Amino acid sequence: MTDTSNHTCEAEGCSKPASLQCPNCVKLELKNSFFCSQDCFRKSWSTHKAKHQVENPKATYDPFPSYRYTGSLRPVYPLSPRRAVPEDIPRPDYANDPRGYSRIEQSFGNAQIIAMTPEEIEKMRNVCKLGREVLDIAARAIKVGVTTDEIDRVVHEATIERKAYPSPLNYYQFPKSVCTSINEVVCHGIPDQRPLQDGDIINIDISLYKDGFHADLNKTYFVGNVDEQSKKLVKTTRECLQKAIDMVKPGVRYRDLGSAIEAHAAANGFSVVRTYCGHGVGKMFHSAPNIPHYAKNKAIGIMKAGHVFTIEPMINAGSYNDQTWRDNWTAVTVDGKRSAQFEHTILVTETGYEILTGRLSDSPPSQLSF
C-alpha cells in the first residue's frame, strides 16, 4: 500500500491527514484515493466508486451496442462524474435546473434581436477574451493518447480559475463543460474515455459565463498526422467562416451570410450542415438572430450596430445530412465522412465588425490562421 503520510483525506469538506487508502484502488493501481477514516470512506463511496471504472481502461464500454453507427467512432463510457463548480461562482439560470432549462431563453423567445449598450459590450469583450484563453489552454492539451475527458478537465479547471461558469454544463442536461467533436461528429460531442488517435481531427467548442454574459467560440484541430483531404476540409471550413465575417456590417441581412458560406464550400467539393446555425449570444446562451450557414435560407433580421452573434459553419466532406446518437447530443454525418467547424462571436460596429473571440498575442501557433 502507498504511504499515506503525505496525503490528506479526499472526502468532500475534509482535509484531515489520510490514514488509509481504498483497497480497490490499490488492486487497480490507481492513484489518489486516500481517506482519514472508514467513515469518510463510506460517505464518499457513491462518487468514489466511479473512479474504479473511469481510471481503469479495462472497464470501458460502448453504451449503445445495438446502435448503427455511421462511421468508425464509438463512445467510450463510463463518463466521469460531473465536475463541481465552486458555490461563489455566479451561474446561469439553467445551471441548477433539474432539466437544464433556461427560463430567460424560454420566456424571451427568438423574436427580438438585442442591440447591446456600451457597458454590455465591454462585458462581452471581457468574457470573450477569457473564452479565448480557455480555448488556447485546451489546444495545448491536444496530443495522441489524451482522452476527451482529460480535455474536459482542463477546460473546466481553466474556466473556474477565471471565476467563470462553463456554459455547456447542465444546459438542457449536457453532462460536461465542453463539447469535443471528433472526425464524423458534426457538433455536441460529449467528452469521454476515448484517447485521441493519430490522424484525428477534433473540434473544441468553448462557452463560458461571467458577469451575466456568455462567450462562444470553437476551432477544429489536427491530431498528429492528418490526411490531405481532412486538411482541405478544415482549411475550407475556416475560409467559409472568414468569408461570412467579411460581410458583417450594419444593413446586411442575416440570411445572406449562408450564400457566401455555401458557395465556397461547394466550390471545394464540400456540403453545409443545415440542422444547426449561428445565433445571438450575450445574457442568453442562445437567442435571436438565427443564422443558417446555407444559401436560400429564410432567416429574419438585418444587422445593426450593437448586435452580437456567432457564425459557426459546419462543413461536411460528404452529405450535409446528420443524425444523432442515443445520448441525444452527439450529431454525426449520415455517411460517416468527416465534418469540421469554426466559430467566432462577432460584434457589429458602426462601420463593420469586431471579432470578440479573436486570437490573443500569446495564442499558440495555429495549424491554420484563426
Side-chain angles (χ1 to χ4, degrees):
M1 181 175 288
T2 304
D3 180 15
T4 63
S5 59
N6 294 322
H7 298 276
T8 57
C9 182
E10 294 176 22
E12 185 175 357
C14 182
S15 58
K16 294 179 181 178
S19 59
L20 59 87
Q21 187 179 14
C22 170
N24 287 332
C25 289
V26 173
K27 293 177 184 178
L28 294 171
E29 299 181 353
L30 303 181
K31 300 177 181 179
N32 300 325
S33 56
F34 301 96
F35 300 90
C36 68
S37 65
Q38 289 289 346
D39 185 51
C40 272
F41 180 46
R42 284 192 294 270
K43 290 178 180 178
S44 303
W45 179 248
S46 61
T47 54
H48 174 75
K49 65 182 178 181
K51 187 175 184 179
H52 302 149
Q53 292 184 315
V54 170
E55 298 190 14
N56 177 13
K58 295 181 180 178
T60 59
Y61 62 93
D62 177 354
F64 317 117
S66 63
Y67 178 76
R68 296 183 64 178
Y69 293 97
T70 62
S72 60
L73 190 72
R74 300 291 184 273
V76 182
Y77 276 43
L79 300 181
S80 59
R82 175 171 168 167
R83 304 188 195 281
V85 177
E87 289 298 324
D88 65 328
I89 293 179
R91 54 205 70 206
D93 63 347
Y94 56 81
N96 296 322
D97 186 273
R99 297 173 296 176
Y101 288 2
S102 171
R103 295 181 299 278
I104 185 173
E105 287 186 8
Q106 292 183 340
S107 62
F108 199 87
N110 284 319
Q112 184 178 353
I113 304 173
I114 299 171
M116 293 192 184
T117 66
E119 293 77 15
E120 290 171 333
I121 290 171
E122 198 55 40
K123 289 184 178 181
M124 280 299 297
R125 286 195 181 103
N126 181 56
V127 71
C128 286
K129 177 179 179 292
L130 297 179
R132 183 70 206 207
E133 290 176 2
V134 174
L135 178 65
D136 290 345
I137 290 169
R140 295 184 183 102
I142 296 172
K143 63 180 179 180
V144 174
V146 170
T147 65
T148 49
D149 183 70
E150 172 64 11
I151 293 173
D152 180 74
R153 183 193 66 78
V154 169
V155 167
H156 184 88
E157 292 181 0
T159 300
I160 63 175
E161 282 173 6
R162 287 156 176 78
K163 298 298 182 182
Y165 182 91
S167 301
L169 188 62
N170 201 48
Y171 185 69
Y172 290 90
Q173 299 183 326
F174 190 81
K176 294 296 178 180
S177 298
V178 64
C179 296
T180 52
S181 301
I182 298 172
N183 298 343
E184 69 264 28
V185 179
V186 173
C187 60
H188 302 157
I190 298 175
D192 62 16
Q193 306 305 318
R194 180 191 182 275
L196 295 177
Q197 299 175 8
D198 187 56
D200 284 344
I201 60 173
I202 178 173
N203 179 274
I204 297 180
D205 194 341
I206 299 292
S207 306
L208 54 84
Y209 176 83
K210 185 178 175 68
D211 295 330
F213 290 84
H214 295 270
D216 201 1
L217 72 160
N218 73 54
K219 180 177 177 179
T220 300
Y221 298 89
F222 303 140
V223 182
N225 302 296
V226 175
D227 65 88
E228 291 302 316
Q229 178 70 356
S230 294
K231 290 180 180 178
K232 181 182 178 182
L233 172 66
V234 174
K235 179 175 181 291
T236 299
T237 305
R238 179 61 185 88
E239 292 168 348
C240 285
L241 172 61
Q242 190 60 51
K243 286 184 178 295
I245 291 174
D246 288 342
M247 295 176 63
V248 174
K249 63 181 180 180
V252 172
R253 298 185 304 177
Y254 284 105
R255 69 178 62 177
D256 292 340
L257 301 183
S259 297
I261 292 169
E262 184 161 356
H264 189 67
N268 285 275
F270 301 125
S271 64
V272 181
V273 172
R274 298 185 171 214
T275 307
Y276 304 97
C277 62
H279 54 89
V281 63
K283 291 182 179 179
M284 291 176 278
F285 194 1
H286 297 90
S287 63
N290 289 325
I291 305 171
H293 303 113
Y294 56 89
K296 298 180 180 179
N297 65 77
K298 305 298 183 182
I300 298 171
I302 296 175
M303 297 179 195
K304 296 180 180 179
H307 286 183
V308 178
F309 54 88
T310 71
I311 307 174
E312 47 185 297
M314 290 143 272
I315 309 299
N316 293 351
S319 169
Y320 67 78
N321 290 306
D322 62 272
Q323 67 185 55
T324 305
W325 283 359
R326 289 179 180 169
D327 59 18
N328 296 321
W329 279 106
T330 306
V332 294
T333 58
V334 294
D335 51 18
K337 294 183 179 181
R338 290 189 168 188
S339 182
Q341 183 185 18
F342 286 85
E343 175 185 24
H344 271 313
T345 296
I346 309 295
L347 164 69
V348 183
T349 66
E350 294 290 346
T351 58
Y353 65 85
E354 178 182 340
I355 301 175
L356 299 179
T357 48
R359 286 177 59 85
L360 306 173
S361 60
D362 61 348
S363 290
S366 182
Q367 297 144 324
L368 296 172
S369 177
F370 182 43

